[in-house]
Amino acid sequence: MERTLAQTAAHLGLTRPKLIALMRERDLLKGNLPAYPNRDKEYLRVKDSTWYDEKYGLQYSQSTRVQQAGIHWLAEQLDIDLPSIPADRRDVA
């Protein structure tokens, strides 16, 4: 599973702009794309998208996606404490 930067920010308890600012400060993003795509490929990836615009023709865009393993890695890189996972109490009877 991979998440957008907005979904990742919500998971980490941040806003998207705050997450992007922190990632840029730590040299993890250049613009809104991974600064080191080969080094961080286990955690971050670039998603390529295309769409057709009536006026300008075929358009291209790129965005950053955070891999599942990237959530904890990103929290470590940014010194963020992840919320703890609540204990499963269904077997307590």
Side-chain angles (χ1 to χ4, degrees), residues 1-21:
M1 177 183 177
E2 52 183 38
R3 293 177 167 90
T4 64
L5 290 178
Q7 292 167 330
T8 302
H11 189 77
L12 297 174
L14 302 169
T15 63
R16 181 179 174 272
K18 180 66 175 170
L19 175 63
I20 290 171

Side-chain angles (χ1 to χ4, degrees), residues 6-92:
Q7 292 167 330
T8 302
H11 189 77
L12 297 174
L14 302 169
T15 63
R16 181 179 174 272
K18 180 66 175 170
L19 175 63
I20 290 171
L22 288 172
M23 290 177 75
R24 286 178 183 162
E25 282 177 21
R26 301 291 168 96
D27 198 30
L28 299 175
L29 287 183
K30 186 175 284 188
N32 284 355
L33 298 176
Y36 302 98
N38 288 329
R39 180 192 75 182
D40 300 335
K41 66 184 171 188
E42 292 180 41
Y43 312 111
L44 305 173
R45 83 168 187 96
V46 176
K47 180 181 179 196
D48 296 310
S49 300
T50 60
W51 72 93
Y52 185 79
D53 182 271
E54 291 292 326
K55 185 174 180 182
Y56 298 108
L58 194 59
Q59 300 293 301
Y60 301 91
S61 70
Q62 293 182 312
S63 60
T64 298
R65 294 292 191 261
V66 180
Q67 310 279 9
Q68 183 64 33
I71 299 292
H72 290 286
W73 173 81
L74 199 51
E76 288 176 9
Q77 299 297 312
L78 304 177
D79 298 322
I80 296 172
D81 292 327
L82 283 175
S84 61
I85 299 171
D88 186 359
R89 302 195 187 280
R90 289 181 284 187
D91 295 332
V92 175

